[in-house]
Amino acid sequence: MVRLRRSDPEAWLPLKPAHYLLLVVLADGDCHAYALKKEVALRTDGRVRLGPGTLHRALGWLLEATLVEESPDRPARTLDDERRRYYRLTPLGRRVAAAETERLAALVAAARGRLTRREPIR
């Protein structure tokens, strides 16, 4: 069950990796599910490949959480398949993605600090 409509981005953290990656891809603009799947694989150099079940469960969760919404905007009919559903990031989704990015950056900075020390950790 999704935590319904929390307006504080920090309340949504930490995000599952699939949720975070989808939000990051959608930050560049509206996208349909298959394009999201391909873009996640591309941006992770193939290290993350979302299967159909994972992708659609993640999109369902993001929709219910109001972090993404269906987009009413469509490409030209000659470039589109009318069966596709397009998704867009909501303002809350953008704030949550930014908060998660900051959280992850802080974790990476702390890890780098620890891993580059030459003295033993107590």
Side-chain angles (χ1 to χ4, degrees), residues 3-101:
R3 298 168 278 189
L4 297 175
R5 299 184 189 254
R6 292 187 179 173
S7 60
D8 176 15
E10 300 286 328
W12 294 96
L13 306 184
L15 289 175
K16 291 182 178 182
H19 298 160
Y20 177 65
L21 290 168
L22 291 171
L23 293 178
V24 169
V25 170
L26 287 168
D28 286 341
D30 298 4
C31 208
H32 58 80
Y34 184 67
L36 285 168
K37 172 186 165 134
K38 288 185 354 184
E39 191 63 26
V40 165
L42 180 69
R43 291 186 188 200
T44 62
D45 294 324
R47 289 187 302 272
V48 177
R49 294 174 188 257
L50 300 177
T54 301
L55 175 64
H56 290 285
R57 275 190 304 277
L59 282 170
W61 187 89
L62 292 168
L63 283 163
E64 188 177 342
T66 69
L67 302 181
V68 302
E69 62 190 7
E70 279 195 56
S71 174
D73 300 334
R74 307 288 299 195
R77 294 188 121 224
T78 57
L79 302 173
D80 191 24
D81 179 337
E82 63 188 37
R83 296 171 294 179
R84 287 183 177 152
R85 293 170 61 187
Y86 285 78
Y87 302 94
R88 71 165 49 152
L89 200 57
T90 63
L92 175 61
R94 187 171 296 280
R95 291 193 313 273
V96 169
E100 180 69 343
T101 300

